[in-house]
Amino acid sequence: MPVESIFHRLEALLPKVQKPIQYVGGELNSTVKDWDAADVRWALMYPDAYEVGLPNQGVAILYEILNELPATLAERTYAVWPDLEALMRAEGVPQFTVDAHRPVRAFDVLGLSFSTELGYTNMLTALDLAGIPMLAVDRGDDDPIVLAGGHAAFNPEPIADFLDAAVLGDGEQIAIAITEVVREWKAEGRPGGRDELLMRLAESGGVYVPKFYDVDYHPDGRIKRVAPNRPGVPWRVHKHTVMDLDEWPYPKKPLVPLAETVHERFSVEIFRGCTRGCRFCQAGMITRPVRERSITTIGAMVENGIKESGFTEVGLLSLSSADHSEIADVAKGLADRYEGTNTSLSLPSTRVDAFNIDLANEFSRNGRRSGLTFAPEGGSERMRKVINKMVTEQDLIRTVTTAYSQGWRQVKLYFMCGLPTETDEDVLGIADLAKKVIKAGREATGSRDIRCTVSIGGFVPKPHTPFQWAGQADHETVDRRLKALRDSLRGDREYGRAIGYRYHDGKPSIVEGLLSRGDRRVGAVIRAVWEDGGRFDGWSEYFSYERWMSAAEKAGVDVDWYTVRERAENEVLPWDHLDAGLDREWLWQDWQDAVSGAEVEDCRWTPCYDCGVCPTMGTEIQIGPTGRKLLPLTVV
């Protein structure tokens, strides 16, 4: 039976809400398929507002891949703002997809992509609006499988009670495999019900089903062990790694938003993974090994994406894009190809030691020289050694001096506050560095029209990194250091006005830390926050630290125990049964090296330092050069 659109019920509500266009769908390259022609149906959710969720690469790629499969249908849903949520509750309108406005509960799988833990309360809103039981144990055969992916899924334990399953790593291949398991189970008449389907997913070792694992605790609250509770369920669940990115040149038909979004460009992922070894960086650790796209595939994707979307900006994305082995040829080839057109190229924040002015000139050839972004992360040389960000003050000054002398007037610098072993002096070193940047720019140009913006985020220790054992700095310490830094910058008559200062206070970082390294007992806190009105916790105007602390107290959860406490080497961590490929002993040794300030080289260009990923995952680093060139096209 076809599932009817609920748009006629939704439409009456839209004149009463802000930004109604984000709910109407119909974007260029969106897909609406015949419900009855599909036997497996996915609702894909990015649990944030449309303007943040639509540009998300992970959801966009899976949306295309699944819709290319025969007898498979995928639609998108996003978090609705509180104004529409209230009206939907009053009028009985369920959580809907934006493609065909079908009710989310009618789908076979609800796949959520979590790039941050602060989207957890939005997931609960969506489940409740959809009429899907919030707790996985209460769901029946007719409810969708609620499946989590994305970086936060590498520790899904805080939301284990709400999830049926979670997937670690790259989603392209496992999404197809899950689809076939669901298709087969349905074709057989759904034998054994929901439990049998989950068992089939779990047996492969590639899908984590929390209900099939029991957690035992020591009297002091630490985890004793996590163990399967039925035969056939693996002790460890492994991440998925796509080894040939050239075989997966997605997105081929990028979605073009109707409403304003945070990124309005066509993005091409030029490589996946990073081996720089920054100890704070979960993304770099969990996405190993490095796998490059070839220069010719990048060129073909850019050409096709511009043609299919009409975007005039192309972003070349990765965790460290200037590290692509052929980035100079990629930049020159694309700049030559699109010279004289309205197409501009952009590179996200660039490592100081990977930047060169020729590269920057190629990327700005067709665009504005608006600004350059660098991420030294630590304010002192000592701090950068602790986090393995091997950038010296001389590197930074030399780089920005070159940039200013070549016509750039704005530089943005990213730092973190609250890093392990950090002192007040390390943070105040950020002010000294920013002042030296301005001084160098003025000397290089002979002009006082030089700007530098310092942007600072609070550090949160993440699972599967060397800092997973570290104690997190309390928010009082972070706020005190940030205030001292602000005073140092503003109080300088010579340089203060040339330096912009943006920062996030320490309280949201504590909540993120609770969710990042939490276990199943934290689920009660998330639900209590949601019941108290918690929504859109990643947005400062909606976030309430007091609400989270009150919920934790009611749930009997000691926030400090999960955040500021340092862990011992032999403590069982909530995510130890989830395998990112990294050797636990190697991570611990890297944590010890961090404390002593020892640095680790990038294994792309040096001998293997035995992090464990390549042998554990059966993978290998894939880098060029390929020796191929990107030939210009005849641009029409």
Side-chain angles (χ1 to χ4, degrees):
M1 287 286 292
V3 170
E4 297 297 326
S5 166
I6 58 109
F7 188 70
H8 61 287
R9 296 164 61 195
L10 174 69
E11 190 174 19
L13 309 181
L14 295 183
K16 304 173 186 177
V17 302
Q18 288 189 319
K19 299 182 182 177
I21 196 169
Q22 66 190 308
Y23 306 117
V24 302
E27 304 99 335
L28 179 64
N29 295 326
S30 62
T31 303
V32 175
K33 297 177 79 171
D34 179 5
W35 184 267
D36 287 336
D39 48 30
V40 180
R41 307 172 183 99
W42 287 70
L44 297 172
M45 181 177 194
Y46 191 84
D48 206 325
Y50 175 94
E51 62 200 81
V52 178
L54 184 126
N56 179 260
Q57 283 279 91
V59 171
I61 289 168
L62 294 182
Y63 177 73
E64 270 194 45
I65 288 172
L66 291 167
N67 276 318
E68 285 182 356
L69 297 177
T72 307
L73 170 158
E75 298 186 13
R76 296 161 293 127
T77 186
Y78 303 101
V80 298
W81 287 109
D83 58 354
L84 182 57
E85 181 194 340
L87 291 169
M88 288 167 66
R89 292 189 184 283
E91 299 298 326
V93 174
Q95 180 80 22
F96 56 89
T97 60
V98 296
D99 298 285
H101 298 93
R102 290 160 172 153
V104 165
R105 192 176 178 216
F107 289 76
D108 297 305
V109 184
L110 169 58
L112 298 114
S113 179
F114 289 105
S115 24
T116 168
E117 297 85 359
L118 294 175
Y120 290 162
T121 50
N122 285 350
M123 172 186 68
L124 299 190
T125 303
L127 291 174
D128 191 54
L129 285 173
I132 299 169
M134 198 164 287
L135 296 175
V137 295
D138 296 333
R139 292 178 197 140
D141 292 355
D142 292 332
D143 290 307
I145 297 297
V146 179
L147 173 76
H151 288 182
F154 277 80
N155 177 26
E157 293 300 278
I159 52 172
D161 290 345
F162 315 118
L163 295 179
D164 294 299
V167 167
L168 281 61
D170 299 336
E172 289 92 337
Q173 292 161 323
I174 188 62
I176 296 173
I178 291 170
T179 300
E180 294 313 310
V181 171
V182 174
R183 191 189 318 281
E184 191 175 281
W185 173 76
K186 290 179 72 176
E188 292 172 8
R190 304 180 180 224
R194 189 181 192 84
D195 256 25
E196 169 67 18
L197 174 57
L198 292 171
M199 191 65 196
R200 292 185 185 190
L201 293 171
E203 282 174 330
S204 66
V207 178
Y208 174 53
V209 179
K211 71 180 287 185
F212 294 158
Y213 294 80
D214 291 334
V215 184
D216 299 321
Y217 300 94
H218 289 292
D220 65 0
R222 290 176 300 121
I223 293 173
K224 189 174 184 179
R225 73 169 196 163
V226 180
N229 56 28
R230 63 183 69 192
V233 176
W235 280 84
R236 300 198 81 195
V237 178
H238 306 289
K239 77 167 181 179
H240 299 270
T241 305
V242 170
M243 281 312 298
D244 188 350
L245 291 183
D246 283 353
E247 288 185 359
W248 302 88
Y250 295 89
K252 297 174 183 174
K253 291 180 174 290
L255 290 159
V256 181
L258 296 177
E260 186 178 0
T261 59
V262 291
H263 299 300
E264 300 203 347
R265 64 188 178 205
F266 173 55
S267 297
V268 175
E269 187 183 24
I270 62 173
F271 70 85
R272 197 171 287 181
C274 182
T275 45
R276 284 282 190 168
C278 300
R279 294 175 173 127
F280 59 85
C281 181
Q282 185 190 45
M285 293 290 171
I286 64 178
T287 59
R288 295 178 178 203
V290 171
R291 292 144 286 149
E292 289 187 352
R293 274 202 169 101
S294 68
I295 183 171
T296 45
T297 299
I298 294 168
M301 288 178 70
V302 171
E303 178 197 358
N304 179 72
I306 292 171
K307 182 181 71 178
E308 294 289 348
S309 69
F311 281 123
T312 56
E313 182 182 344
V314 177
L316 302 184
L317 305 187
S318 76
L319 292 174
S320 183
S321 294
D323 282 339
H324 191 287
S325 62
E326 296 182 301
I327 190 63
D329 287 336
V330 169
K332 184 178 188 313
L334 290 174
D336 286 346
R337 177 178 284 186
Y338 297 104
E339 187 164 22
T341 72
N342 64 347
T343 301
S344 64
L345 306 172
S346 67
L347 209 59
S349 67
T350 310
R351 284 187 62 99
V352 171
D353 50 349
F355 174 87
N356 67 70
I357 206 66
D358 294 333
L359 186 62
N361 283 333
E362 295 292 5
F363 276 99
S364 65
R365 210 195 292 180
N366 272 352
R368 297 180 295 114
R369 292 196 173 189
S370 51
L372 293 168
T373 303
F374 302 104
E377 309 291 2
S380 68
E381 203 96 356
R382 186 194 73 82
M383 201 70 255
R384 289 190 290 276
K385 285 183 177 179
V386 169
I387 62 178
N388 204 48
K389 191 87 177 187
M390 292 181 283
V391 173
T392 66
E393 181 179 301
Q394 290 73 25
D395 289 335
L396 179 64
I397 298 303
R398 182 171 58 249
T399 297
V400 297
T401 299
T402 307
Y404 285 134
S405 66
Q406 292 291 316
W408 273 270
R409 291 293 174 265
Q410 172 75 32
V411 167
K412 185 183 291 184
L413 303 176
Y414 280 117
F415 297 92
M416 283 186 291
C417 182
L419 289 159
T421 78
E422 180 185 271
T423 65
D424 292 3
E425 288 69 30
D426 292 318
V427 176
L428 290 173
I430 295 171
D432 295 334
L433 206 52
K435 293 169 190 176
K436 288 175 182 175
V437 164
I438 295 295
K439 183 172 184 285
R442 288 176 178 175
E443 289 174 355
T445 62
S447 167
R448 294 183 69 84
D449 182 25
I450 295 294
R451 294 282 301 166
C452 170
T453 300
V454 170
S455 186
I456 304 187
F459 168 68
V460 178
K462 293 286 185 177
H464 306 285
T465 71
F467 290 159
Q468 64 183 4
W469 290 278
Q472 185 173 350
D474 60 72
H475 72 85
E476 294 90 351
T477 299
V478 170
D479 290 345
R480 178 178 57 76
R481 287 175 179 164
L482 290 174
K483 182 179 182 299
L485 175 59
R486 182 193 65 196
D487 292 345
S488 175
L489 290 169
R490 289 182 178 174
D492 191 295
R493 290 188 175 184
E494 177 65 15
Y495 300 111
R497 289 190 176 182
I499 302 171
Y501 182 45
R502 296 177 185 169
Y503 65 94
H504 301 285
D505 65 52
K507 289 179 177 178
S509 297
I510 290 293
V511 172
E512 190 181 338
L514 170 69
L515 300 177
S516 169
R517 292 193 291 175
D519 53 39
R520 295 187 182 186
R521 293 169 291 192
V522 173
V525 182
I526 298 168
R527 182 161 186 172
V529 167
W530 177 81
E531 288 172 345
D532 193 32
R535 308 287 190 274
F536 290 93
D537 288 293
W539 296 70
S540 57
E541 58 266 45
Y542 289 99
F543 175 80
S544 167
Y545 180 76
E546 290 69 28
R547 181 190 286 135
W548 279 95
M549 294 306 106
S550 172
E553 189 176 347
K554 288 175 187 171
V557 167
D558 182 349
V559 174
D560 285 353
W561 192 84
Y562 285 98
T563 55
V564 302
R565 177 178 69 94
E566 188 166 313
R567 279 74 165 161
E569 179 181 6
N570 60 357
E571 179 171 340
V572 176
L573 303 173
W575 51 89
D576 276 347
H577 58 299
L578 303 173
D579 185 12
L582 295 151
D583 184 75
R584 197 179 196 272
E585 287 71 29
W586 178 82
L587 284 172
W588 175 263
Q589 184 55 53
D590 207 36
W591 168 223
Q592 302 313 298
D593 288 345
V595 175
S596 67
E599 295 174 328
V600 177
E601 295 288 340
D602 185 340
C603 65
R604 258 172 294 195
W605 326 115
T606 62
C608 170
Y609 48 67
D610 203 22
C611 75
V613 168
C614 291
T616 302
M617 296 286 150
T619 58
E620 60 182 351
I621 292 173
Q622 294 182 346
I623 57 171
T626 62
R628 288 175 280 184
K629 297 291 180 188
L630 193 61
L631 298 175
L633 295 169
T634 303
V635 180
V636 179

